[in-house]
């Protein structure tokens, strides 16, 4: 195994593009190192990205959005007051990943690229309308988060490409988001169902919404019909019931040892209602 420590993303891409074997990128390492120790993967080239300038930075963009470096840990994300104020749902999703020790290493980008349909940080990013910067042999491009997962353990990234930043849009006024999951235990478990809701209000009326579901399909998914169910409403009981019905209809889960398809379908609707209530309260000025 060849271990590399490039100083730029362009150098990292050149190494990855030139590799004819198994390549893995290292940011936090909480997925890839476990996989290596378990014998699930043995990279021919392990490319450590942590020495690239800016990968540990959280910075505000010119339009008041946020740019998050690919090696920013969950702990660092949770300690950032500005990001936590603007996007509490994104932050709370990442804060559910693993133990306190894991939080010191795990990253948004690693959680995304691991390709798990149950990844806790991904629904919040999808609901937020986040994007990623991807650097590859042909330069850098931006892609919506929901376009990255391709199925369990797989992404749409091409040979030689690497995510170089996560980009959150400006929060703007009167907006709120939230992420909830159902797990069998109280902590340190994998989501049976996850749901993120992001919305904006004008007075008491919801004018914009995005709903994302995790662990109920081969990838984290957007549920546009669920969002439509609450746009134009004041999130009354009828709207919440319509939201729950649409979220459950969007779910196409499997039955496994953590839950039946029927149970997951039902819980998707329940969590959508609960997350919407929290996001709505936040949009109207409630604390995180």
């Amino acid at each position: 195994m060849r271990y590399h420590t490039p100083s730029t993303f362009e150098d990292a891409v050149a190494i990855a593009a030139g590799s004819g074997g198994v390549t893995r990128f290292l940011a936090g390492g909480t997925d890839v190192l476990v996989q290596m120790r378990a014998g699930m993967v043995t990279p021919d080239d392990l490319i450590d990205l942590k020495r690239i300038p800016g990968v540990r930075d959280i910075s505000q963009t010119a339009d008041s959005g946020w740019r998050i470096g690919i090696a920013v840990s969950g702990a660092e994300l949770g300690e950032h007051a500005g990001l936590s104020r603007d996007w509490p749902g994104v932050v709370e999703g990442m804060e559910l990943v693993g133990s306190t020790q894991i939080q010191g290493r795990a990253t948004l980008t690693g959680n995304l690229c691991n390709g798990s349909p149950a990844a806790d940080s991904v629904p919040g990013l999808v609901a937020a309308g986040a994007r990623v910067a991807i650097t590859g042999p042909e330069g850098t491009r931006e892609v919506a988060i929901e376009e990255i997962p391709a199925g369990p353990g797989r992404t749409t990234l091409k040979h030689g490409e690497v995510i170089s930043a996560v980009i959150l849009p400006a929060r703007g006024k009167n907006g709120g988001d939230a992420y909830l999951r159902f797990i069998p235990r109280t902590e340190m478990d994998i989501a049976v169902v996850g749901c993120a809701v992001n919305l904006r209000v004008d007075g008491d009326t919801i004018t914009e919404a995005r709903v994302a579901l995790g662990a109920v399909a081969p990838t984290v998914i957007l549920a546009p019909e669920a969002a439509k169910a609450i746009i134009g409403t004041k999130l009354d009981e009828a709207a919440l019931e319509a939201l729950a019905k649409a979220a459950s209809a969007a779910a196409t889960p499997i039955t496994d040892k953590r839950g039946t398809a029927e149970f997951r379908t039902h819980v998707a609707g329940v969590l959508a209602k609960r997350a919407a209530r929290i996001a709505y309260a936040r949009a109207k000025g409630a604390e995180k």
Side-chain angles (χ1 to χ4, degrees):
M1 183 179 70
R2 294 174 291 273
Y3 174 71
H4 308 271
T5 56
S7 57
T8 67
F9 280 107
E10 288 73 19
D11 289 344
V13 165
I15 295 166
S19 174
V22 177
T23 302
R24 289 292 185 273
F25 293 104
L26 180 63
T30 56
D31 287 315
V32 69
L33 293 180
V34 170
Q35 293 165 3
M36 288 170 62
R37 288 183 176 180
M40 297 170 61
V41 64
T42 302
D44 296 291
D45 292 281
L46 183 62
I47 306 171
D48 191 339
L49 304 172
K50 293 191 294 297
R51 297 188 186 182
I52 298 175
V55 296
R56 297 290 296 273
D57 295 345
I58 300 173
S59 56
Q60 199 145 30
T61 60
D63 64 353
S64 298
W66 295 95
R67 188 178 184 90
I68 303 169
I70 53 91
V72 172
S73 70
E76 291 168 328
L77 207 68
E79 291 170 357
H80 196 283
L83 186 61
S84 297
R85 179 189 63 246
D86 280 3
W87 294 104
V90 172
V91 172
E92 64 198 2
M94 188 62 205
E95 287 180 324
L96 291 171
V97 177
S99 63
T100 300
Q101 293 90 337
I102 293 296
Q103 281 290 308
R105 301 288 295 183
T107 67
L108 282 171
T109 306
N111 200 226
L112 172 64
C113 290
N114 192 45
S116 171
D120 280 310
S121 73
V122 179
L125 289 169
V126 171
R131 302 177 67 80
V132 289
I134 299 172
T135 301
E138 298 179 0
T140 299
R141 59 193 175 98
E142 286 190 15
V143 173
I145 290 282
E146 58 267 30
E147 295 180 23
I148 297 300
R154 298 185 295 114
T155 73
T156 58
L157 294 173
K158 301 174 184 177
H159 179 65
E161 289 188 329
V162 60
I163 291 177
S164 47
V166 175
I167 304 162
L168 281 164
R171 170 70 279 180
K173 295 182 179 180
N174 305 319
D177 70 326
Y179 173 75
L180 294 174
R181 69 175 182 182
F182 175 82
I183 57 173
R185 302 187 296 175
T186 56
E187 60 184 347
M188 289 181 63
D189 212 335
I190 299 170
V192 176
V193 182
C195 180
V197 176
N198 174 39
L199 54 80
R200 191 179 310 281
V201 299
D202 182 0
D204 293 332
T205 302
I206 297 171
T207 57
E208 302 172 21
R210 283 170 68 95
V211 178
L213 300 171
V216 295
T219 67
V220 171
I221 58 171
L222 263 179
E225 293 303 315
K228 289 179 183 178
I230 58 174
I231 293 174
T233 77
K234 296 181 180 179
L235 206 66
D236 55 18
E237 286 303 315
L240 287 167
E241 288 303 317
L243 167 65
K245 183 177 180 180
S248 291
T252 57
I254 60 171
T255 294
D256 62 17
K257 63 183 179 182
R258 295 185 297 117
T260 65
E262 293 78 12
F263 177 73
R264 283 185 160 119
T265 298
H266 172 69
V267 171
V270 173
L271 290 187
K273 290 198 294 184
R274 293 178 182 176
R277 288 191 183 105
I278 297 170
Y280 186 73
R282 288 172 175 170
K284 291 173 65 64
E287 293 295 325
K288 175 181 175 181

